[in-house]
Amino acid sequence: MAQKDKVHKITLIPGDGIGPEVTSAARKVLAASGVIIDWEIVDAGAGALQKYGTTLPDETVESIKKNKVALKGPLTTPIGEGFKSVNVQLRKTLDLYANIRPVRSALGITFQHKPIDMVIFRENTEDLYAGLEYEIAPGVAQSLKIITEKASTRIARAAFEWATQNKRKMVHAVHKANIMKKSDGLFLESVRKVAAEYPQITYKEIIVDNCAMQMVMRPEQFDVVVLGNLYGDIISDLAAGLVGGLGVVPGANIGDEIAIFESVHGSAPDIAGKGVANPIATILSANIMLRHIGEGKAADKIQAALVLFLAEKKHLTPDLGGHSTTDELVDGLIEKIKMLR
Ligand code: NAI
């Protein structure tokens, strides 16, 4: 049950490409769960550029700062040229340092035989995503990888704290410190110091290339995984592929005060406007948001409905092997939510 008569004010960024389709689907599902949300809808990304002449209008940032919580659709970033990633800008501006991505086979969509239940903690504010790139001479480009003790320590602490609160047993730190001895070396050194404060949690280190292979062959060995920004981006997409793909993996960007919830996937221009985008990743991101705002019971109900819905294997979108539209999936899911009342 939702908190009685409580109205939550939340910022909504519909986003680009399939963003408006999947966020509108998530809104319908949240409404069906009984939670009352007063959405403040603001723009960002390619759409905002046309309307406001900037990809990140001040009013968007102000709305998130005021409401402290936002649900966000994906935003398009041009490849190799054009404006910088608004996602990266938002995470840096609002200091959302922890990108948390739970990867679970609990929904029953997986190519693996053993259960997968890992939570990825990706550092969100630095590394090669600092955007410090230069052409230092014709034909020579340089990109700076920034790693700080502060950012490495706080993502490690976020991972170990979460592991403790959720009774998890193991944390893996992923690195390439054998080659990047200074930068990844500092990351590892910082994580080790935090790990020493949590003796009840088994701490392991793994080199990123081996991690990629292990994750495909024996994903069940991973529990909580902490990584830098770039490795976190790549490894979490790999992990998503083990449990049904990008259409079903949610995410949260958390800072000390503000949180933005969004799926791992991008704006999927290849299927945008066709009405076939899978909204589950955004619905699950919204579900993490519900827990964050104290609506855990409503989140439990949506989760239970999703498991029932997926078990029937009816009304699945094409990425999950079905032939249904986004709307048909949402209607099927809402039917299950109503059954659970
Ligand atoms: P993408 O995640 O948009 O798409 C990769 C593949 O997965 C495509 O074939 C797409 O159709 C499929 N896919 C993704 N989400 C799906 C869904 N919900 N349902 C069904 N199929 C889905 O990644 P891509 O193509 O690399 O990036 C497209 C744009 O998105 C780029 O501009 C990129 O910068 C941006 N992007 C934005 C993110 C964000 O806002 N957080 C995250 C990742 C990418």
Side-chain angles (χ1 to χ4, degrees):
M1 290 292 282
Q3 290 182 44
K4 201 170 177 305
D5 298 332
K6 166 98 183 165
V7 180
H8 302 275
K9 184 117 187 168
I10 293 177
T11 300
L12 177 77
I13 303 175
D16 300 317
I18 60 170
E21 300 166 53
V22 291
T23 50
S24 134
R27 284 177 65 183
K28 284 184 202 159
V29 171
L30 294 196
S33 78
V35 177
I36 307 167
I37 299 178
D38 177 9
W39 296 100
E40 195 164 287
I41 302 175
V42 292
D43 286 309
L49 185 62
Q50 285 164 3
K51 222 159 131 186
Y52 302 92
T54 167
T55 51
L56 188 56
D58 288 346
E59 62 189 59
T60 299
V61 175
E62 287 315 312
S63 166
I64 302 170
K65 280 187 178 163
K66 174 170 57 86
N67 296 327
K68 309 263 187 277
V69 180
L71 181 67
K72 177 185 154 299
L75 301 172
T76 297
T77 309
I79 293 175
E81 53 180 22
F83 59 83
K84 283 191 179 181
S85 165
V86 184
N87 297 309
V88 174
Q89 247 177 288
L90 262 176
R91 292 164 195 168
K92 276 165 71 175
T93 309
L94 301 169
D95 205 19
L96 307 174
Y97 59 85
N99 185 196
I100 305 170
R101 298 177 162 183
V103 177
R104 299 194 170 110
S105 53
L107 295 174
I109 321 162
T110 178
F111 310 118
Q112 301 287 329
H113 299 298
K114 298 216 175 116
I116 299 171
D117 184 4
M118 66 178 105
V119 180
I120 293 176
F121 281 73
R122 166 190 172 198
E123 201 292 320
N124 226 0
T125 59
E126 57 180 26
D127 197 343
L128 281 161
Y129 288 59
L132 299 172
E133 290 199 301
Y134 310 95
E135 187 178 334
I136 49 177
V140 185
Q142 181 188 48
S143 194
L144 297 183
K145 170 164 171 146
I146 307 295
I147 299 291
T148 63
E149 185 181 1
K150 181 184 168 200
S152 305
T153 302
R154 63 184 184 175
I155 189 66
R157 195 167 299 289
F160 277 92
E161 271 302 309
W162 189 91
T164 306
Q165 281 161 20
N166 291 277
K167 301 193 173 35
R168 295 295 189 126
K169 296 193 166 47
M170 193 185 299
V171 173
H172 273 91
V174 182
H175 67 94
K176 189 78 185 174
N178 48 331
I179 305 297
M180 282 161 276
K181 294 179 196 294
K182 290 261 186 277
S183 54
D184 280 20
L186 176 58
F187 174 78
L188 219 42
E189 202 183 296
S190 312
V191 183
R192 274 178 201 157
K193 279 188 197 151
V194 175
E197 295 172 29
Y198 297 82
Q200 78 284 9
I201 293 173
T202 306
Y203 172 60
K204 290 192 177 179
E205 294 170 357
I206 186 165
I207 295 177
V208 64
D209 35 350
N210 182 30
C211 175
M213 188 268 290
Q214 294 285 338
M215 212 167 256
V216 172
M217 295 195 69
R218 290 184 49 228
E220 70 282 359
Q221 69 184 292
F222 294 99
D223 189 353
V224 174
V225 185
V226 60
L227 329 82
N229 207 339
L230 177 64
Y231 306 150
D233 201 1
I234 298 168
I235 292 290
S236 56
D237 267 34
L238 186 155
L242 300 170
V243 297
L246 288 172
V248 296
V249 177
N253 299 291
I254 311 268
D256 287 334
E257 282 189 19
I258 295 171
I260 299 185
F261 298 85
E262 64 175 332
S263 53
V264 171
H265 66 72
S267 54
D270 52 338
I271 55 166
K274 295 186 178 158
V276 294
N278 184 348
I280 293 177
T282 307
I283 292 166
L284 287 173
S285 306
N287 235 22
I288 308 178
M289 182 184 83
L290 288 185
R291 296 188 197 285
H292 181 84
I293 61 171
E295 294 283 7
K297 285 189 179 152
D300 287 345
K301 189 155 78 173
I302 294 174
Q303 177 82 22
L306 200 49
V307 171
L308 284 178
F309 170 77
L310 287 169
E312 283 183 1
K313 298 198 178 355
K314 263 166 51 185
H315 304 309
L316 298 181
T317 43
D319 60 305
L320 296 179
H323 302 283
S324 295
T325 62
T326 311
D327 287 346
E328 284 162 349
L329 187 153
V330 169
D331 291 345
L333 178 57
I334 289 176
E335 216 172 274
K336 295 284 181 263
I337 293 173
K338 287 184 180 154
M339 270 171 51
L340 290 174
R341 257 173 217 231

